[in-house]
């Protein structure tokens, strides 16, 4: 009987201590769920402004159309030459992006120093025809395709050049006729642009300008009669561009 009572008492004590022991156990630590994967997407939307610099070459062909006010029936060819040199300027534009497609408009202006000359094939007294392009402007629309921070684009629109033409005696270099011309034409181009920071990008671009064949009149001077030439002009230019964009930062996409 005594052993039975001791056994019952021991079991009772064990049942009283068991809840307390369970309460003393440490709670399972809370583990935060891993953050979802985020991919950075470069957004090309927004206004931008930048600088550009490079080189250009203008092909100019002269055909004489009048001499001392008298029109020439056969418009003899005087010859062609390339005017080459450097250019530097800036651009301003706006782009908007839809999925991977990027659309934009841009105005660009460059100071130029493209110079060249060739001997006139019609001269009795040898002289050279000289061309110097002082400025170039482009007003274009753009369509591009972007792979995040890499943009490949084409462009097209209007172009304007400011050009000075002159005639100089071959033997002495003395200029005896000059004329200036601001002409409008068309342009097409292409480029690749890379964003290297949230709002900064660098690009390489090529443009071809179709500037037509207007008739240029050289007024009479003290030592030369008036004359006129149809002067065809095309321009090729390659530039490196750096742009700063605002209004379209890098965004995160889940």
């Amino acid at each position: 009987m005594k052993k039975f009572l001791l056994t019952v008492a021991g079991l009772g004590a064990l049942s009283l201590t068991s809840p307390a022991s369970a309460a003393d156990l440490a709670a399972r630590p809370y583990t935060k769920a891993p953050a979802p994967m985020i991919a950075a997407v470069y957004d090309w939307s927004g206004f931008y402004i930048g600088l550009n610099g490079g080189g250009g070459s203008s092909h100019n062909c002269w055909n004489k159309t009048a001499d001392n006010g008298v029109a020439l029936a056969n418009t003899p060819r005087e010859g062609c030459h390339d005017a080459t040199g450097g250019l530097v300027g800036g651009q301003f534009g706006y782009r908007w992006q839809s999925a991977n497609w990027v659309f934009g408009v841009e105005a660009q202006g460059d100071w130029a120093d493209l110079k060249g000359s060739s001997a006139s094939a019609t001269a009795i007294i040898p002289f050279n025809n000289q061309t110097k392009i002082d400025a170039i402007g482009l007003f274009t629309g753009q369509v591009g395709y972007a792979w995040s921070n890499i943009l490949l684009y084409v462009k097209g629109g209007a172009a304007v050049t400011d050009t000075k033409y002159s005639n100089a005696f071959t033997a002495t270099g003395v200029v005896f006729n000059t004329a200036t011309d601001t002409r409008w034409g068309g342009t097409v181009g292409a480029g690749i642009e890379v964003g290297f920071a949230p709002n900064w990008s660098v690009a390489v671009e090529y443009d071809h300008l179709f500037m037509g064949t207007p008739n240029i009149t050289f007024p009479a001077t003290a030592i030369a009669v008036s004359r006129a030439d149809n002067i065809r002009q095309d321009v090729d230019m390659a530039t490196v561009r750096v742009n700063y964009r605002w209004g379209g930062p890098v965004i995160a996409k889940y």
Side-chain angles (χ1 to χ4, degrees), residues 7-243:
T7 301
V8 172
L11 291 173
L14 181 61
S15 64
L16 291 174
T17 59
S18 294
S21 299
D24 291 340
L25 294 176
R28 178 178 295 179
Y30 172 74
T31 303
K32 187 177 180 180
M37 296 296 293
I38 299 177
V41 177
Y42 200 90
D43 184 8
W44 291 93
S45 299
F47 291 95
Y48 64 91
I49 191 170
L51 299 174
N52 71 78
S57 177
S58 172
H59 190 63
N60 302 269
C61 290
W62 298 46
N63 293 333
K64 195 173 183 180
T65 60
D67 198 1
N68 197 24
V70 178
L72 303 179
N74 60 354
T75 61
R77 297 181 180 181
E78 294 198 62
C80 302
H81 58 262
D82 293 328
T84 60
L87 48 88
V88 62
Q91 61 274 348
F92 174 78
Y94 179 78
R95 288 175 174 146
W96 62 96
Q97 183 169 352
S98 176
N100 292 89
W101 291 99
V102 180
F103 308 91
V105 291
E106 182 184 274
Q108 174 179 334
D110 287 83
W111 293 277
D113 188 25
L114 310 185
K115 296 184 291 186
S117 66
S118 61
S120 172
T122 65
I124 298 175
I125 301 175
F127 68 86
N128 292 334
N129 295 323
Q130 302 175 333
T131 301
K132 184 178 186 297
I133 297 180
D134 296 312
I136 298 173
L138 305 178
F139 305 90
T140 55
Q142 299 181 4
V143 179
Y145 192 86
W147 294 267
S148 188
N149 67 321
I150 300 175
L151 175 64
L152 184 65
Y153 63 90
V154 294
K155 61 191 293 187
V160 59
T161 58
D162 187 32
T163 310
K164 180 179 180 180
Y165 304 102
S166 59
N167 308 123
F169 292 118
T170 303
T172 63
V174 173
V175 174
F176 60 88
N177 258 340
T178 62
T180 58
D181 173 39
T182 299
R183 68 173 71 182
W184 287 85
T187 181
V188 293
I192 183 169
E193 191 161 350
V194 179
F196 60 88
N199 296 89
W200 290 92
S201 59
V202 61
V204 177
E205 182 178 297
Y206 163 79
D207 298 286
H208 181 78
L209 284 60
F210 307 87
M211 303 310 297
T213 313
N215 196 54
I216 308 300
T217 299
F218 295 80
T221 66
I223 59 174
V225 299
S226 66
R227 54 174 294 182
D229 278 83
N230 282 340
I231 303 178
R232 178 184 174 184
Q233 183 183 87
D234 294 303
V235 182
D236 293 285
M237 50 191 291
T239 54
V240 176
R241 301 148 56 94
V242 177
N243 289 325

